[in-house]
Amino acid sequence: MAEYWSTLDVDLHLAVDPASGRRVGLEREAIRDGRLAAGVRLPSTRTLAVELGMARGTVSSAYEQLVAEGHLVAVRGSGTRVAALAGETVPSRSSSSKPPTASAASATPATSARQLTHNLRPGSPDLSRFPRAAWLRASRRALTAAPSDVFGYGDPRGRIELRRALAGYLGRTRGVLADPERIVIVSGAVQGLALLGQVLGGAVAMEDPYIPLFHQVVRGTGASVVPLPVDDDGARVELLSGPGHRDVGAVVVTPSHQYPVGSTLHPARRQALVEWACRDGGRIVVEDDYDGEFRYDRQPVGALQGVLPEHTVYLGTASKTLGPGVRLAWMVLPERLLVPVTEAKRHADHQSEALGQLTLAEFITSHDYDRHIRACRLRYRRRRDLLAERLRPKAGRPAAGFALGGIAAGLHALVRLEPAGMSEAEVLARAAEFDLELEGLAGLWDAVASASDTSDRPQGIVVGFGSPGEAAYPRALDALVRTLSWS
């Protein structure tokens, strides 16, 4: 649909140049500063003259001058439009309202220029399965019942409707002891960690490998990050009491499903972490429960916060259950951190947007959220099973050169590369040949604190099985099998 000026439903600011006169101001402001794109339809000279309070002759002269200079094109029967400059194309009516392609919509500054056909990178659910109809119904109900104050400034902790809904949901599904008064709504795990870094300060231990951005965010607050190694039993909690970790006052862990290794924190280590946090009275555990709802071998592992509420910050998010675009996450805080974190949130952005909060609250209390998660759990389990089947060693095939792990939960698996097989760099290069995007383990280690010690790091590929659409997933697995030399 073409763009129009103010009389045709789109406003455009036109400043009058007191030095050059109205005509020159109109020329420069309307065309030359580029705010009107090629193909934009201009109003008639009569209409614009009335809007600007000018003589029609002045506007007509300006149009004629701009046509002569090549800025405008006047075609009988279709009005006057902004001309395309060299190299530009004029969008048609039929194409101007089309959404970007999937590859363009998902592009980030870190994405390569060429978008590959198949995508098994981790970090996202299947966005094509966002519950649009149910979300729309919840939004309508929430907006209809919303008080007027929802459109004003509110509590930095977030809407009480969502905090109450989350308190009930987290208690019954994750075993979290959540008082609505101790919940703070944030716009994602990144903001949650940024606020906590400001409040906690000092030395913060973080799992390694983990998400490099999270390490960077905490360092950006002025806190120092101390890497905490991870193995098949989760974070190596015993190291917190050893040299190099003795000044640590807080630790960020993923007990339910470590990213990217995929391990669950061993019960003995959970107990050791509880003892560490309770020692000396002031230590904090930040529990990143990013995909705790998705467990396939048994009931989801309960949150650590349920046994250590006064020493644990529980960090949850809708990014893996609904989608990162929802921009809603939550923290359940110990009493001593509530005021400083709330004030840090107030100073950061005052509050997260309110209408999405009300919609999510309605989505949860209507149990549409539970139904959506159950459906997703079944769908992702089928995908997990298909991945395991396609990569299972079979008679007549060459030695695999890798082992699949971390598939008991979540939306990703770790393909560990054996020393006798291909290297991580070789696998990624082959993946590109087969038009497949993958995540290498090498990019997930802490680059600042442990850059000098890389010799004993395992090599592997992190495979996300959540994000491809239903039709795209089998084809992506075909490309993965070819990449790993199985044909």
Side-chain angles (χ1 to χ4, degrees):
M1 184 175 179
E3 296 181 68
Y4 299 90
W5 287 25
S6 56
T7 53
L8 299 170
D9 302 329
V10 173
D11 290 333
L12 175 66
H13 172 69
L14 293 176
V16 177
D17 189 333
S20 303
R22 287 179 171 178
R23 173 181 167 181
V24 176
L26 175 63
E27 293 174 11
R28 184 182 64 253
E29 290 291 330
I31 304 297
R32 290 174 178 171
D33 68 356
R35 283 186 290 125
L36 287 178
V40 171
R41 178 184 168 189
L42 276 63
S44 67
T45 56
R46 184 189 303 275
T47 300
L48 187 58
V50 171
E51 281 236 349
L52 300 181
M54 294 180 174
R56 185 180 179 186
T58 301
V59 175
S60 297
S61 296
Y63 273 31
E64 291 169 1
Q65 179 66 29
L66 292 169
V67 169
E69 293 175 358
H71 293 294
L72 299 182
V73 175
V75 179
R76 184 179 298 276
S78 63
T80 304
R81 296 180 181 273
V82 178
L85 300 177
E88 288 186 328
T89 59
V90 179
S92 66
R93 290 175 180 265
S94 60
S95 64
S96 61
S97 61
K98 289 182 180 179
T101 62
S103 60
S106 61
T108 66
T111 304
S112 61
R114 185 174 74 91
Q115 294 293 319
L116 302 182
T117 302
H118 311 294
N119 188 352
L120 289 176
R121 293 179 65 90
S124 177
D126 182 357
L127 302 180
S128 69
R129 302 307 291 261
F130 184 88
R132 297 171 187 251
W135 186 261
L136 181 59
R137 290 193 299 270
S139 179
R140 285 172 174 166
R141 292 193 299 266
L143 191 57
T144 299
S148 297
D149 66 4
V150 73
F151 305 108
Y153 294 111
D155 191 329
R157 293 175 296 175
R159 294 295 304 183
I160 186 60
E161 296 91 341
L162 179 56
R163 290 188 281 127
R164 286 172 179 161
L166 284 170
Y169 171 78
L170 295 173
R172 63 182 168 80
T173 64
R174 304 297 299 124
V176 174
L177 301 178
D179 182 338
E181 298 302 314
R182 292 198 194 179
I183 295 177
V184 173
I185 307 300
V186 291
S187 61
V190 167
Q191 185 181 50
L193 288 173
L195 299 178
L196 290 171
Q198 295 173 39
V199 170
L200 296 173
V204 179
M206 301 183 74
E207 293 177 338
D208 190 29
Y210 189 38
I211 301 175
L213 173 62
F214 288 3
H215 287 201
Q216 297 164 13
V217 166
V218 173
R219 282 195 176 97
T221 67
S224 61
V225 171
V226 181
L228 183 63
V230 174
D231 60 22
D232 289 339
D233 288 329
R236 295 187 57 191
V237 176
E238 74 278 6
L239 297 178
L240 292 173
S241 301
H245 292 79
R246 287 175 180 163
D247 294 333
V248 168
V251 59
V252 180
V253 291
T254 52
S256 296
H257 186 229
Q258 204 279 332
Y259 183 86
V261 173
S263 53
T264 298
L265 190 62
H266 190 278
R269 292 188 180 180
R270 287 172 69 100
Q271 182 58 38
L273 187 57
V274 170
E275 294 173 359
W276 174 85
C278 293
R279 200 178 306 146
D280 300 331
R283 292 168 175 165
I284 291 293
V285 175
V286 180
E287 180 176 15
D288 179 4
D289 195 34
Y290 66 101
D291 66 357
E293 290 90 348
F294 300 125
R295 188 85 197 182
Y296 310 119
D297 59 344
R298 60 176 183 265
Q299 287 293 318
V301 177
L304 180 67
Q305 191 269 358
V307 298
L308 196 66
E310 291 306 321
H311 292 271
T312 303
V313 175
Y314 178 87
L315 178 59
T317 178
S319 292
K320 301 300 182 286
T321 54
L322 292 170
V326 174
R327 304 312 304 141
L328 287 174
W330 43 87
M331 294 188 290
V332 183
L333 298 163
E335 184 175 7
R336 59 191 159 122
L337 293 183
L338 179 60
V339 171
V341 169
T342 300
E343 286 306 298
K345 171 66 174 175
R346 188 195 307 275
H347 295 160
D349 60 4
H350 197 288
Q351 66 188 69
S352 297
E353 67 90 17
L355 297 182
Q357 293 186 53
L358 290 183
T359 300
L360 181 56
E362 176 64 29
F363 201 62
I364 293 172
T365 55
S366 67
H367 300 300
D368 280 335
Y369 194 50
D370 291 74
R371 287 186 282 270
H372 171 71
I373 289 175
R374 284 198 299 271
C376 288
R377 190 182 296 129
L378 291 173
R379 183 163 59 253
Y380 295 142
R381 178 170 184 166
R382 288 194 294 268
R383 293 188 180 195
R384 188 278 309 256
D385 292 346
L386 182 58
L387 171 65
E389 171 62 25
R390 296 297 304 275
L391 298 186
R392 182 175 295 120
K394 294 182 180 179
R397 287 181 173 174
F402 63 83
L404 185 65
I407 61 174
L411 303 178
H412 76 274
L414 178 63
V415 177
R416 297 175 183 267
L417 300 176
E418 298 173 356
M422 287 187 292
S423 69
E424 185 175 315
E426 289 172 330
V427 171
L428 293 176
R430 281 180 58 84
E433 292 175 6
F434 291 111
D435 228 20
L436 172 65
E437 288 193 56
L438 292 173
E439 177 80 69
L441 194 58
L444 299 174
W445 298 92
D446 184 77
V448 175
S450 57
S452 61
D453 183 19
T454 63
S455 59
D456 61 345
R457 290 178 178 175
Q459 295 194 44
I461 302 297
V462 187
V463 178
F465 54 82
S467 57
E470 291 297 312
Y473 184 59
R475 294 194 293 270
L477 289 186
D478 290 341
L480 177 63
V481 170
R482 290 194 295 271
T483 294
L484 297 173
S485 299
W486 289 14
S487 58

